Amino acid sequence: MKNRLRVLRAEREWSQADLAQALGVSRQTINALETGKYDPSLPLAFKIADLFELAIEQIFERPSADQATEE
């Protein structure tokens, strides 16, 4: 799943560790989210959206129907 986490974090000059601490997750989780290796749980997606004061859809890109069938 594509997302804007790295860009949003950089705009605020936060490290991965800063974001992880604010969300109560590990830095490795943030890295995995940013690189697309891990999709967030729904509760985590809401926490991220709340932290950045954005809708989930403004942070995470919904996969197209073609991408969904490939995974």
Side-chain angles (χ1 to χ4, degrees), residues 49-63:
D50 289 345
L51 180 65
F52 288 110
E53 298 179 341
L54 296 169
I56 290 174
E57 296 86 357
Q58 293 175 291
I59 302 171
F60 299 97
E61 185 179 309
R62 184 182 304 193

Side-chain angles (χ1 to χ4, degrees), residues 6-65:
R6 181 172 288 151
V7 171
L8 293 168
R9 179 175 59 76
E11 287 174 353
R12 288 155 180 82
E13 299 182 357
W14 292 348
S15 67
Q16 287 183 341
D18 294 333
L19 181 56
Q21 183 175 5
L23 295 171
V25 298
S26 70
R27 186 201 58 78
Q28 290 84 356
T29 297
I30 300 302
N31 182 269
L33 289 169
E34 288 184 353
T35 59
K37 294 179 183 173
Y38 171 74
D39 291 337
S41 65
L42 192 54
L44 180 55
F46 275 111
K47 283 176 80 170
I48 293 167
D50 289 345
L51 180 65
F52 288 110
E53 298 179 341
L54 296 169
I56 290 174
E57 296 86 357
Q58 293 175 291
I59 302 171
F60 299 97
E61 185 179 309
R62 184 182 304 193
S64 68

